[in-house]
Amino acid sequence: MSVTPLAQACTDTKQELTLPSEAYRQAVDQADLAISITDQKAKILFANEAFSRVTGYGRDEIVGQNESVLSNHTTSGEIYQAMWGELSAQKPWSGKLLNRRKNGDLYLAELTISPVVDSTGITTHYLGMHRDITELHQLERAVQNQKHLIESVVDAAPIAIALLDPSARVLLDNLEYKKLVTDLGVKEPAHMLLDSLAPMWRESLAGNPKGCSFFNREVRIDRPAGRARWLSVTTSVIDMQSNCADSYFCATGQPGLLLAIADVTNLRDEQERTRAAVLQAVLAEEERTAAIREGLSAAIFRLEEPMNVMASAISVLQRRDPAAAEMLQQALSSSREHLESLRKVIPQSPQEIVVRVNVNEILRDVLEVSTPRLLGAGVTVDWQPAATLPPILGRPLQLRMLFKALVDNAIEAMNVKGWKHRELSLTSAVDHECIIVSVLDSGPGIPEDWRHKAFEPFFTAKGGSGRHIGTGLSRVQQVVADHGGIIDLDESPSGGCAAIVEFRIDGDPI
Ligand code: FAD
């Protein structure tokens, strides 16, 4: 049979590719890994150079010994049992053992043992490969200790800390931050705070992280029950090294946003108490001035009625009795002059500058100032603020007067003898670029046909006690309009009055 040139070439190539057994032996001998081959009872038959280097035993000393000569006898028996269990089942085993060198030094060995199985299926030998990983282990421990230390320090910090990656995931936080999650009842307080303090933070974080770094910005968190909470937030951008394999040769980093959140509620409460006392005095003064203003306006309004009658009488008398008409005209002119003088002494409302106002703060102030009246009238308050509100541009005193007037009206409506259900519900919410405040009472309500009239000056549905001259709601409407908003009266779910005030977030006050 003739051999084709192609078959001959393949045979030649195979012969060239066969590894001489000597090369094989040298490769194992010179490998930089401690290699040993044992019999079935772990008696060493062969050990390479690296084995001698690692263990300190010369080749002649070690051959014929059991591998157990390396044992420090402190590795748990369970580990050996597991090892031999695997090997008996002809499976390789890998693990870490504490070994002792010839000179008595201990080292941590990372060992892999593979059974060598002959053609009849019997384990004839074991191949052991190990390396000294003591330094690596020390390094790992040092990193772990460092990590533990950092975590302990971060956890012991009296401020909440959270680190966000560019996709806004929280990579690291501390105990105080976890407490915030429970206290505020939100999944990620960091997101909520950033939404409130830097609305474009997500876009910034991905593209220009420096754009969302700021220092000590305060945010007020309102909760239905309990006092408002004040948090001061500082953010800074830090570089984080990537641990992905593809960044092994080029140290690419990614920015992280570190939030440090301090609770400044106590400090703020202190300031608030002082402010509330001043505010109470300012509001009382403004109310007194407003009462004088309204009293005088009402007096002028009422005096104008008889003067109009006099003017009609004059035109009738002018033909019949010119002398009497002349006298009456003089009296009318002098009355008009007095009325004008009276008009001039009406105190003007104070001129306030426009500032950024948090409507929740205004409502809180109003509730605080109204507490004695609410308690006196036995009214329970259901305060449901939006957790955070964007600011609007406005005049704080005017806004306080506006909501105080609505709360006063509500209290008055419910504070009648025999009226049982007395509840004031105050809510704030954000909806379609608007801040909506609802003041709902459980009083008798305003009949539908009176709801528009209620905003007319001097309209009053209250009895003739003389105290009510009906300028409250017209003034309220004026303030709302001055702030570019709208107000509506409706029926509350309990049948009482619902006053709904809406301000545009970007609305300009007049
Ligand atoms: P041993 O009396 O040797 O035995 C401990 C447990 O293992 C006992 O429960 C026993 O029943 C079981 N066991 C022991 N020999 C066998 C066997 N042949 N078949 C089934 N079960 C058995 N140990 C180290 O500490 N360091 C090493 O670097 C190391 N390298 C090894 C490399 C190879 C290739 C092999 C095969 C084993 C190696 N060993 C090593 C394991 C070693 O042989 C000993 O089992 C171990 O050191 C425990 O020794 P000992 O004298 O305390 O207990």
Side-chain angles (χ1 to χ4, degrees):
M1 195 176 71
S2 64
V3 177
T4 63
L6 179 64
Q8 183 62 52
C10 286
T11 314
D12 291 350
T13 315
K14 269 187 190 156
Q15 270 166 3
E16 278 165 30
L17 285 177
T18 310
L19 185 67
S21 54
E22 186 51 23
Y24 188 75
R25 190 184 175 89
Q26 279 171 355
V28 174
D29 213 13
Q30 292 166 23
D32 195 27
L33 192 65
I35 297 176
S36 57
I37 298 172
T38 72
D39 67 7
Q40 292 148 311
K41 294 200 169 141
K43 192 165 82 182
I44 301 171
L45 305 176
F46 166 83
N48 73 351
E49 285 168 17
F51 189 96
S52 292
R53 255 198 326 273
V54 173
T55 63
Y57 287 102
R59 226 184 288 201
D60 298 342
E61 295 174 278
I62 200 72
V63 170
Q65 301 255 34
N66 192 289
E67 292 274 8
S68 63
V69 75
L70 297 178
S71 171
N72 184 48
H73 302 293
T74 48
T75 305
S76 124
E78 283 168 16
I79 293 183
Y80 292 126
Q81 271 169 22
M83 169 204 288
W84 283 111
E86 291 293 289
L87 296 180
S88 307
Q90 294 192 333
K91 288 182 192 159
W93 177 89
S94 291
K96 287 173 190 146
L97 301 173
L98 189 62
N99 275 359
R100 182 190 285 271
R101 292 186 231 275
K102 187 185 169 192
N103 66 4
D105 285 355
L106 300 181
Y107 69 98
L108 192 67
E110 189 178 60
L111 170 67
T112 297
I113 306 175
S114 301
V116 180
V117 181
D118 72 7
S119 54
T120 63
I122 292 171
T123 304
T124 55
H125 300 86
Y126 290 111
L127 168 69
M129 290 172 287
H130 83 265
R131 64 191 180 115
D132 178 354
I133 57 157
T134 314
E135 268 182 36
L136 192 72
H137 170 73
Q138 280 166 349
L139 224 76
E140 263 175 24
R141 271 287 152 87
V143 170
Q144 269 172 14
N145 287 347
Q146 191 89 354
K147 184 172 173 273
H148 179 70
L149 209 72
I150 292 170
E151 277 172 2
S152 306
V153 170
V154 166
D155 268 346
I159 56 169
I161 293 172
L163 176 66
L164 306 189
D165 74 2
S167 58
R169 260 183 321 146
V170 174
L171 296 183
L172 180 146
D173 60 13
N174 69 346
L175 277 179
E176 281 298 313
Y177 184 81
K178 290 187 178 80
K179 270 196 229 161
L180 268 189
V181 173
T182 326
D183 289 357
L184 304 182
V186 289
K187 201 167 155 242
E188 232 34 288
H191 294 181
M192 180 180 133
L193 296 172
L194 288 169
D195 283 344
S196 163
L197 293 170
M200 303 296 285
W201 69 275
R202 278 177 199 273
E203 292 79 356
S204 264
L205 192 57
N208 166 34
K210 285 226 157 56
C212 41
S213 68
F214 52 78
F215 184 70
N216 266 354
R217 282 201 197 157
E218 288 187 4
V219 64
R220 179 194 167 103
I221 314 280
D222 283 282
R223 294 169 294 175
R227 56 189 187 146
R229 202 159 166 186
W230 284 92
L231 299 174
S232 169
V233 185
T234 295
T235 58
S236 38
V237 179
I238 58 168
D239 263 342
M240 301 185 302
Q241 290 303 317
S242 165
N243 55 5
C244 296
D246 58 3
S247 66
Y248 185 77
F249 289 107
C250 53
T252 50
Q254 56 173 357
L257 189 68
L258 185 70
L259 277 85
I261 308 156
D263 192 326
V264 290
T265 310
N266 286 344
L267 185 75
R268 272 300 196 137
D269 277 354
E270 194 66 33
Q271 292 169 348
E272 283 296 292
R273 269 192 287 279
T274 319
R275 203 179 60 86
V278 174
L279 189 69
Q280 191 117 27
V282 170
L283 278 180
E285 177 59 22
E286 173 56 18
E287 263 180 354
R288 206 176 59 81
T289 320
I292 297 172
R293 192 164 48 235
E294 282 162 22
L296 285 175
S297 304
I300 292 168
F301 179 75
R302 284 178 186 153
L303 281 172
E304 269 169 352
E305 268 177 53
M307 288 199 302
N308 289 341
V309 175
M310 276 165 78
S312 320
I314 290 166
S315 55
V316 174
L317 274 177
Q318 242 153 13
R319 272 193 233 134
R320 277 200 236 148
D321 188 350
E326 178 56 28
M327 266 174 58
L328 213 54
Q329 181 59 53
Q330 277 175 13
L332 181 62
S333 303
S334 107
S335 299
R336 284 216 164 112
E337 267 173 40
H338 291 311
L339 215 58
E340 213 36 55
S341 319
L342 211 54
R343 205 171 259 131
K344 281 187 188 136
V345 296
I346 294 179
Q348 297 302 306
S349 341
Q351 286 302 305
E352 258 193 289
I353 54 161
V354 172
V355 289
R356 283 156 74 90
V357 182
N358 182 316
V359 174
N360 272 347
E361 243 177 281
I362 298 283
L363 296 172
R364 270 256 166 207
D365 284 348
V366 169
L367 282 179
E368 183 114 12
V369 169
S370 308
T371 303
R373 276 201 77 195
L374 288 160
L375 288 174
V379 175
T380 55
V381 177
D382 180 23
W383 166 225
Q384 299 282 351
T388 56
L389 278 186
I392 60 163
L393 290 174
R395 299 181 177 91
L397 187 60
Q398 299 276 304
L399 289 169
R400 281 187 198 102
M401 295 295 293
L402 141 67
F403 289 111
K404 182 156 186 308
L406 293 179
V407 168
D408 281 348
N409 280 353
I411 298 173
E412 200 136 339
M414 293 182 283
N415 195 18
V416 283
K417 216 170 170 197
W419 198 267
K420 289 211 170 68
H421 186 198
R422 298 176 179 204
E423 185 176 304
L424 175 77
S425 157
L426 196 59
T427 57
S428 65
V430 182
D431 189 27
H432 293 98
E433 299 296 303
C434 283
I435 290 176
I436 301 170
V437 178
S438 314
V439 184
L440 276 60
D441 66 55
S442 59
I446 303 181
E448 206 174 335
D449 49 337
W450 285 9
R451 283 182 202 153
H452 285 293
K453 278 195 224 149
F455 293 112
E456 289 171 10
F458 311 117
F459 172 84
T460 177
K462 296 165 189 167
S465 65
R467 278 189 55 221
H468 305 291
I469 46 173
T471 56
L473 278 179
S474 86
R475 196 153 35 103
V476 161
Q477 194 183 36
Q478 189 57 52
V479 176
V480 174
D482 286 351
H483 285 79
I486 49 171
I487 178 166
D488 207 7
L489 293 181
D490 210 333
E491 189 180 316
S492 75
S494 61
C497 178
I500 316 289
V501 181
E502 257 184 55
F503 296 116
R504 285 193 59 80
I505 292 168
D506 57 1
D508 274 338
I510 297 162

